Amino acid sequence: MIDGLLTELGKKVTERWLTLILLPGLCFVAALWCAVLLGHSHAVDVAMLIQRTRSRLAGTGGDAVTVVVTVAVVLLVAVAAAGLARLAVGAMERLWLLERRGRRVTWPGRRLALVDERVRAEYHGLRAALVWPRLWSLLEEHQRLPVQQARTGLDTAATTIGWGLLYALAGCAWWPGLLIAVGLLIGGATRARRCAHAYATLVESLVDIRQGELALALGMELPHGLITADEAGQINARLHKGGPDHPVRRRRLRRPGA
């Protein structure tokens, strides 16, 4: 049984490595190869690409060591490119959370911030950022799946944007790369909007329908079936644990005589 589980896990890891890292990386290496051999003036000349590729390969001598080194370099460049594209996940998250004059600068960021605003308005100041991690821990695995899929979609969208930026660099020497970059950037941005909306809607919905379970887990009852101003204040104060919004902390921060 354990051998079967390990085998299945190995298959999934291999599939993810192939689909998320190796294949996209090799496609990008191919674009770089076209940029080096063709440039802008002969960007779509397939015959020239074949001819020059054959010429380059013939120049290596075809010995086994050269072939192995060439394959290794191609794989390393492909993996490195995939790593650079994955770096866009963290960069895009910081961009989505970036604020200017108290307002998120991107649509996904504004949609995610709207969750906290809507929860505060509906439940008398309840902080979604405080209750969400605790609410998440109460969910069963199958209940987490839709949220995880939406969150993974955001990561995939950010990675797609990262590939778009890399292809834009290749496009500086090979104009079809610019077309690919535009398609990836538009696709990534569109998916980011869709997944941010789905993720925010799911989080808000779980706060709506699971607040009773959260209150019970915190040792509180909801006499009215919903979180009122009293319960919201208690939950915020308890979960904030002395932070700047905690009532006790606020009193300590006030100047004497204020």
Side-chain angles (χ1 to χ4, degrees), residues 157-170:
T159 304
T160 302
I161 293 173
W163 281 118
L165 295 176
L166 288 177
Y167 274 98
L169 292 177

Side-chain angles (χ1 to χ4, degrees), residues 205-220:
S205 299
L206 286 169
V207 174
D208 290 337
I209 64 180
R210 299 278 181 170
Q211 56 185 276
E213 296 176 28
L214 175 65
L216 185 62
L218 294 174
M220 300 172 56

